[in-house]
Amino acid sequence: MMKTIRKLTLLGFVLFMPLFVFAQATDPSAECFSALESNPELQVLKGKVALGNVSGQSLEILANDKKPSPAEKSALAKWDSSRQPCIQQSLEWSHSHYAPNVAVILERLISQFKSNLADLYAGKITYGQFAKARQANADNAKAEAVNLDQQNQNANAQNKQRQQQLNQQAQQAEAQNQAQRNALATQMILNNKPYQAPFVPMQTAPLVAPHINSPTNTNCRMIGNTMNCTTY
């Protein structure tokens, strides 16, 4: 069956981790992004961009209609390169803790950030426009992640229900198979039982009285030279 999906809670979204607004506090990249706030090479950008956390964008940052100076462009390039190790950490962590359809949102957020930063660096947009686009992308990603997380939970619940039904069906089938095996075994025992002829009581022959010859009488007389005898 599927990989365990960790629930993305609304509280996790409110925390707004540095890159992924819906990343949980256990994301190891959080400390990496936070450290950018104190990077000496990036201080020229203070008050113009939120170096670490998107939630750090102030009203002044959102309303800034200035475009970067050459010195600030150099700092923007440094900011971009300094973010890469943090991004890599967060990518690795998110792919091991989130469902694929959620992790892909994080990848898209990275791409959007890079594109907006390139426009700011090129002077195509102002700091305020960059900040607003960054916020909009974060909000959209958050909403999509919440929706996908709910879908994932529903899918998990349905899969669990289907699995329970399959388990019940398997148990019923096994019970039926066991009953058939028991019946077959009983029949085999009956078929292999030695044959015993039914008991027939012995019949004795009637007693016959021994034959006793009746007494006989014999009379003889001489007729000439011949003797005749009669027995009765």
Side-chain angles (χ1 to χ4, degrees):
M1 230 193 206
M2 280 182 82
K3 184 178 179 180
T4 303
I5 301 176
R6 292 176 179 265
K7 183 178 181 181
L8 303 175
T9 63
L10 182 58
L11 177 61
F13 294 127
V14 175
L15 291 177
F16 282 99
M17 298 311 294
L19 176 61
F20 308 127
V21 295
F22 38 84
Q24 295 177 331
T26 51
D27 186 337
S29 67
E31 184 176 352
C32 180
F33 281 109
S34 296
L36 298 177
E37 294 282 358
S38 57
N39 188 322
E41 298 179 278
L42 305 179
Q43 295 310 300
V44 68
L45 298 176
K46 275 283 191 177
K48 298 179 177 64
V49 297
L51 293 172
N53 196 326
V54 65
S55 64
Q57 295 189 144
S58 64
L59 182 61
E60 290 77 10
I61 290 177
L62 291 167
N64 192 336
D65 61 355
K66 303 296 182 181
K67 294 183 179 180
S69 65
E72 291 168 351
K73 286 185 178 182
S74 178
L76 288 174
K78 179 62 179 178
W79 184 35
D80 179 57
S81 62
S82 298
R83 287 168 50 87
Q84 298 312 307
C86 308
I87 292 174
Q88 186 61 34
Q89 286 182 17
S90 195
L91 276 176
E92 292 175 356
W93 185 85
S94 64
H95 279 292
S96 63
H97 288 78
Y98 294 114
N101 59 348
V102 174
V104 73
I105 301 175
L106 312 182
E107 296 177 357
R108 185 171 68 244
L109 189 60
I110 294 172
S111 178
Q112 291 170 335
F113 182 94
K114 186 82 168 182
S115 178
N116 291 332
L117 184 59
D119 287 342
L120 176 62
Y121 181 87
K124 294 180 180 180
I125 59 176
T126 65
Y127 281 111
Q129 290 172 324
F130 169 78
K132 291 174 183 176
R134 184 181 180 187
Q135 186 68 58
N137 291 336
D139 291 342
N140 291 337
K142 176 179 69 174
E144 186 176 358
V146 170
N147 183 55
L148 283 176
D149 180 61
Q150 186 61 52
Q151 292 179 17
N152 289 339
Q153 291 185 55
N154 293 340
N156 281 343
Q158 292 174 359
N159 288 336
K160 183 178 180 180
Q161 184 178 8
R162 283 196 296 268
Q163 187 60 47
Q164 290 175 343
Q165 292 174 348
L166 290 175
N167 291 340
Q168 291 175 354
Q169 293 174 1
Q171 292 174 357
Q172 292 174 355
E174 177 59 26
Q176 292 176 354
N177 291 338
Q178 185 61 46
Q180 292 176 355
R181 289 194 293 268
N182 291 341
L184 181 59
T186 300
Q187 187 61 44
M188 291 178 64
I189 292 174
L190 293 176
N191 292 342
N192 293 330
K193 184 176 181 180
Y195 174 77
Q196 183 176 1
F199 173 75
V200 178
M202 181 180 296
Q203 296 182 357
T204 56
L207 295 176
V208 179
H211 179 72
I212 301 176
N213 293 330
S214 300
T216 59
N217 295 317
T218 302
N219 293 326
C220 298
R221 65 181 180 175
M222 292 294 295
I223 300 176
N225 294 325
T226 303
M227 179 178 288
N228 293 324
C229 296
T230 302
T231 300
Y232 56 94

